[in-house]
Structures are given as C-alpha cells and as structure tokens.
Amino acid sequence: MKLIMAIVQDKDSNMLQNEFIDANIRATKLSTTGGFLKSGNTTFIIGIEDARVEEVLALIKKTSHAREQFMTPPVSMDVTGDSSLSYPIEVQVGGATVFVLPVEQFRQF
Amino acid sequence: MKLIMAIVQDKDSNMLQNEFIDANIRATKLSTTGGFLKSGNTTFIIGIEDARVEEVLALIKKTSHAREQFMTPPVSMDVTGDSSLSYPIEVQVGGATVFVLPVEQFRQF
Amino acid sequence: MKLIMAIVQDKDSNMLQNEFIDANIRATKLSTTGGFLKSGNTTFIIGIEDARVEEVLALIKKTSHAREQFMTPPVSMDVTGDSSLSYPIEVQVGGATVFVLPVEQFRQF
Ligand code: NI
Ligand code: NI
Ligand code: NI
C-alpha cells in the first residue's frame, strides 16, 4: 500500500477525478493554494496497492501534465476608444507535482 | 512517532475531535471532499508516539465506523396531491479510511 | 527527497510563505483548523531534497516559533459606564508542529 499526494491545477482536477472514478481509484480532494503558482490548485490523496502505483502516475501525467496553450487576451481599448487587435498568445497550463509515500498501516472501518 | 491521516465523514468529525481532545491527542483538521462519497468529509492529521497508535485507531473506529441507520425520506406527493406514506429506509453512514505513515523527524518550535 | 508537513498559525503563514519564495522552496498551502488551538492554522506541504531539510526547518523555526507577546485587551465598561483601565497582558503566539516524511518517489509532470 502507498499513499500518493498529487498537486495539480484546479482546471485539471475535475478531469483527473473522473479518471480516478473510471479506474475505481479512491481519491480524496483537498483544496489548496500554492507555491509559485498564483492560481488555485488541488491536492489529491490516494491510497493504492503497490501494483497500481504506476497506473495512478500515468493517469496524473496524462490529465495534468504541463503543456502550452494558445489564449486570446481580452480586447483592450485605448484612450481614444479604439480597440486594439488582440492576438492569441502561448501560455503554459497544467503541471503536476507528485509524492509517493510509504504506508505502515492501512485500515478501513 | 507516526503520522496518522484519517478520512472520516463530516457528520462524525465533531465527535471524533472531542474524543481526541479528551484523550489529549493533537489533531489538525483539513476540510476535504471526496472519493466515491459525494458528501463532504474531513481529514485529520495526527502526530502520535508509536505506543499510542492503536489507541488512536480504536477511537477512530469507535466514532466513525460504517454502520446502518434508518432514515425516513421526506414525504412525497403525487400529481393528485395525495401524499404517499413514507417508510423508513436503511442507509449506510460513517466509514473511515486511515493511513499510518512513518515519520523521520518530528519537531515542535 | 523528503516531504515536510508544517502546521503553523495563520498569522505567521504569510511571512513563512515569503521566506519560502525568497529561498526558492516550493510549498503548497492547505487551510486547516485545529487541534487545541482554537484559532485557524495553515499547513504547508513542502517537497525538498535531503540536503535542504535543515534549511527549511530553520526558516519555519525563525518565522513561526512560539513566543510571548504583549497585547492590550479591548477596553471594558462596567455597569456605571466607567471604563476600567486596560493593561497589556502577555499572551503566547506562534508555534509550529513539523513532520519530516520519507518519500519513495517524487515526480513532476
Ligand atoms: Ni499533452
Ligand atoms: Ni457501531
Ligand atoms: Ni523570536
């Protein structure tokens, strides 16, 4: 048995939670803020048998890895009232930090 | 020293917290949502010397174990305005998932 | 790699977070309530290489250790409308509880 703590961006957390449900993996969700990222993030706590650790890591990687995305900034207007053209820019989204911890006892009541 | 993480249902968390206080066990409470259970749950983080681990587990089991409870569903009314009789049904409440983790260093400042 | 969980008082958490940022230490912040302290507290989760554990502990100690502080209680008024003199009293603030946990795998995606 291992305990996996996974910190992902809020925007990826719903999709990841659905992956866990599909795979019958029990995950508990903590609302966290953090680190260098200003945006909110979500921490999952997952208890999992040793044989399925790599499967959990693969789901986290697939759903939450850092990637580039094009985003169109909101249109800005200058003092004359002219709106300047707004070009899509590339931003990085996603990213996951994951700890796999040893467990001495796992109990369910 | 061990770190115990215990995930229990919200409805059991106050009683469990009182048990911890009575037993002079320091517990920190995280608000969590989770897993397959749709209802809110609470995660306790407890730092405890090795000799008292079983005592903590017994308190969690006593307060938060899964059990059947009879609940009377709200009265429903059909289209003719007749309220149908509402019979108590058995539902499962409670349940706890607990991890005991090894600790390399424990410090208080 | 180690995972450090540090529970500090809310009032110390901003300063500690700034210390972590200055030292380029990634920390995730959980909002917690807890233990014997009625006031809110904050739990930091920090992933750190073994060689920097003592540095992290020193930052937590410096920023969040328990200490005495003089506080002037709010002025109270008796039934005759006379306000009694309010003297500063000494209260304890701060305090940190810290766990250093072993990590089997640390992954970033
Ligand atoms: Ni991709
Ligand atoms: Ni019972
Ligand atoms: Ni001092």
Side-chain angles (χ1 to χ4, degrees), chain B residues 61-92:
Chain B
K61 182 179 182 177
K62 183 181 77 167
T63 311
S64 314
H65 67 280
R67 67 264 180 199
E68 306 286 313
Q69 213 172 56
F70 281 95
M71 199 191 76
T72 305
V75 171
S76 61
M77 239 174 283
D78 66 21
V79 287
T80 68
D82 291 332
S83 62
S84 60
L85 266 174
S86 185
Y87 294 99
I89 55 167
E90 215 172 2
V91 294
Q92 187 173 307

Coordinates of all heavy atoms in Angstrom, one line a residue, chain B residues 61-92:
Chain B
K61 N -12.2 4.1 15.0 CA -13.1 3.0 14.7 C -14.4 3.2 15.5 O -15.5 3.1 14.9 CB -12.5 1.7 15.1 CG -13.3 0.5 14.7 CD -12.6 -0.8 15.1 CE -13.5 -2.0 14.7 NZ -12.8 -3.3 15.0
K62 N -14.3 3.5 16.8 CA -15.5 3.6 17.6 C -16.4 4.7 17.1 O -17.6 4.6 17.1 CB -15.0 3.9 19.1 CG -16.2 4.0 20.1 CD -15.7 4.4 21.5 CE -15.4 5.9 21.6 NZ -15.2 6.3 23.0
T63 N -15.8 5.8 16.7 CA -16.6 7.0 16.4 C -17.1 7.1 15.0 O -18.2 7.6 14.7 CB -15.7 8.3 16.6 OG1 -15.1 8.2 17.9 CG2 -16.6 9.6 16.6
S64 N -16.4 6.5 14.1 CA -16.6 6.8 12.7 C -16.8 5.5 11.8 O -16.9 5.7 10.6 CB -15.4 7.5 12.1 OG -15.0 8.6 13.0
H65 N -16.9 4.3 12.4 CA -17.1 3.2 11.5 C -18.4 3.2 10.7 O -19.4 3.8 11.1 CB -17.0 1.9 12.4 CG -18.1 1.7 13.3 ND1 -18.2 2.4 14.5 CD2 -19.3 1.0 13.2 CE1 -19.3 2.1 15.1 NE2 -20.0 1.2 14.4
A66 N -18.4 2.5 9.6 CA -19.6 2.4 8.8 C -20.6 1.6 9.5 O -20.4 0.6 10.2 CB -19.2 1.7 7.5
R67 N -21.9 2.2 9.5 CA -23.0 1.5 10.1 C -24.3 1.8 9.4 O -24.4 2.8 8.7 CB -23.0 1.8 11.6 CG -23.4 3.2 11.9 CD -22.2 4.1 12.2 NE -22.5 5.4 12.5 CZ -21.7 6.5 12.5 NH1 -20.5 6.4 12.0 NH2 -22.1 7.7 12.8
E68 N -25.3 0.9 9.6 CA -26.6 1.1 9.0 C -27.4 2.1 9.9 O -27.3 2.0 11.1 CB -27.3 -0.2 8.9 CG -26.5 -1.3 8.2 CD -26.5 -1.1 6.7 OE1 -27.6 -0.8 6.2 OE2 -25.4 -1.2 6.1
Q69 N -28.2 2.9 9.3 CA -29.1 3.8 10.0 C -30.4 3.9 9.3 O -30.5 3.9 8.1 CB -28.4 5.2 10.1 CG -28.7 6.0 11.3 CD -27.8 7.2 11.4 OE1 -27.9 8.0 10.4 NE2 -27.0 7.4 12.4
F70 N -31.5 3.9 10.1 CA -32.8 4.1 9.5 C -33.1 5.6 9.3 O -32.8 6.4 10.2 CB -33.9 3.5 10.3 CG -33.9 2.0 10.2 CD1 -33.3 1.1 11.0 CD2 -34.6 1.4 9.1 CE1 -33.3 -0.2 10.9 CE2 -34.7 0.1 8.9 CZ -34.0 -0.8 9.8
M71 N -33.5 5.9 8.1 CA -33.8 7.3 7.8 C -35.2 7.4 7.2 O -35.5 6.5 6.3 CB -32.8 7.8 6.8 CG -32.6 9.3 6.7 SD -31.6 9.7 5.3 CE -32.8 9.4 3.9
T72 N -36.0 8.3 7.6 CA -37.3 8.5 6.9 C -37.2 9.5 5.8 O -36.8 10.7 6.0 CB -38.4 9.0 7.9 OG1 -38.4 8.1 9.0 CG2 -39.7 9.0 7.3
P73 N -37.4 9.1 4.6 CA -37.3 10.0 3.4 C -38.4 11.1 3.6 O -39.4 10.9 4.2 CB -37.5 9.1 2.2 CG -37.6 7.7 2.7 CD -37.9 7.8 4.1
P74 N -38.1 12.2 3.0 CA -39.1 13.3 3.0 C -40.4 12.8 2.3 O -40.4 12.0 1.4 CB -38.5 14.4 2.2 CG -37.3 13.9 1.6 CD -36.9 12.6 2.3
V75 N -41.6 13.3 2.8 CA -42.9 12.9 2.3 C -42.9 13.3 0.8 O -42.6 14.5 0.5 CB -44.0 13.5 3.1 CG1 -45.3 13.3 2.4 CG2 -44.0 13.0 4.5
S76 N -43.4 12.4 -0.1 CA -43.5 12.8 -1.5 C -45.0 13.0 -1.8 O -45.8 12.3 -1.2 CB -42.9 11.8 -2.4 OG -43.5 10.6 -2.2
M77 N -45.3 13.8 -2.7 CA -46.7 14.0 -3.1 C -46.9 13.6 -4.5 O -46.1 14.0 -5.4 CB -47.2 15.4 -2.8 CG -48.3 15.5 -1.9 SD -48.7 17.2 -1.4 CE -47.5 17.7 -0.3
D78 N -47.9 12.9 -4.9 CA -48.1 12.6 -6.3 C -49.0 13.7 -7.0 O -49.4 14.6 -6.3 CB -48.7 11.2 -6.5 CG -50.1 11.0 -5.9 OD1 -50.8 12.1 -5.8 OD2 -50.6 9.9 -5.7
V79 N -49.2 13.5 -8.3 CA -49.9 14.6 -9.0 C -51.3 14.9 -8.5 O -51.8 16.0 -8.8 CB -49.9 14.3 -10.5 CG1 -48.5 14.4 -11.1 CG2 -50.5 12.9 -10.8
T80 N -51.9 14.0 -7.9 CA -53.3 14.2 -7.4 C -53.3 14.9 -6.1 O -54.3 15.3 -5.5 CB -54.1 12.9 -7.2 OG1 -53.5 12.2 -6.2 CG2 -54.0 12.1 -8.5
G81 N -52.1 15.2 -5.5 CA -52.0 15.9 -4.2 C -52.0 14.9 -3.1 O -51.9 15.4 -1.9
D82 N -52.1 13.6 -3.3 CA -52.1 12.7 -2.2 C -50.6 12.5 -1.8 O -49.8 12.2 -2.6 CB -52.6 11.3 -2.7 CG -54.1 11.4 -2.9 OD1 -54.8 12.2 -2.3 OD2 -54.6 10.6 -3.7
S83 N -50.4 12.6 -0.5 CA -49.1 12.2 0.0 C -49.0 10.7 0.2 O -49.9 10.1 0.8 CB -48.7 13.0 1.2 OG -49.6 12.6 2.3
S84 N -48.0 10.1 -0.4 CA -47.8 8.7 -0.1 C -47.1 8.5 1.2 O -46.4 9.4 1.7 CB -47.0 8.1 -1.3 OG -45.8 8.7 -1.3
L85 N -47.4 7.4 1.8 CA -46.8 7.1 3.1 C -45.3 6.9 2.9 O -44.8 6.4 1.9 CB -47.3 5.8 3.7 CG -48.5 6.0 4.7 CD1 -49.1 4.7 5.1 CD2 -48.0 6.8 5.9
S86 N -44.5 7.4 3.8 CA -43.1 7.4 3.7 C -42.5 6.4 4.8 O -42.7 6.6 6.0 CB -42.6 8.8 4.0 OG -41.2 8.9 3.7
Y87 N -41.9 5.4 4.3 CA -41.4 4.4 5.2 C -39.9 4.6 5.5 O -39.1 5.0 4.6 CB -41.5 3.0 4.6 CG -43.0 2.6 4.5 CD1 -43.6 2.7 3.3 CD2 -43.7 2.1 5.6 CE1 -45.0 2.3 3.2 CE2 -45.0 1.7 5.5 CZ -45.7 1.9 4.3 OH -47.0 1.5 4.2
P88 N -39.5 4.4 6.7 CA -38.0 4.5 7.0 C -37.2 3.5 6.1 O -37.7 2.4 5.9 CB -37.9 4.1 8.5 CG -39.3 4.1 9.0 CD -40.2 3.9 7.9
I89 N -36.1 4.0 5.6 CA -35.2 3.1 4.9 C -33.9 3.0 5.5 O -33.5 3.9 6.3 CB -35.1 3.5 3.4 CG1 -34.6 5.0 3.4 CG2 -36.4 3.4 2.6 CD1 -34.1 5.4 2.0
E90 N -33.2 1.9 5.3 CA -31.9 1.7 5.9 C -30.8 2.3 5.0 O -30.7 2.0 3.8 CB -31.6 0.2 6.1 CG -30.9 -0.1 7.3 CD -30.8 -1.6 7.6 OE1 -31.3 -2.4 6.8 OE2 -30.2 -2.0 8.6
V91 N -30.0 3.2 5.5 CA -28.9 3.7 4.7 C -27.6 3.5 5.5 O -27.5 3.4 6.7 CB -29.0 5.3 4.5 CG1 -30.2 5.6 3.6 CG2 -29.1 6.0 5.8
Q92 N -26.5 3.5 4.7 CA -25.2 3.3 5.4 C -24.6 4.7 5.7 O -24.6 5.6 4.8 CB -24.2 2.5 4.5 CG -22.9 2.2 5.3 CD -22.0 1.3 4.6 OE1 -22.4 0.2 4.2 NE2 -20.8 1.7 4.4

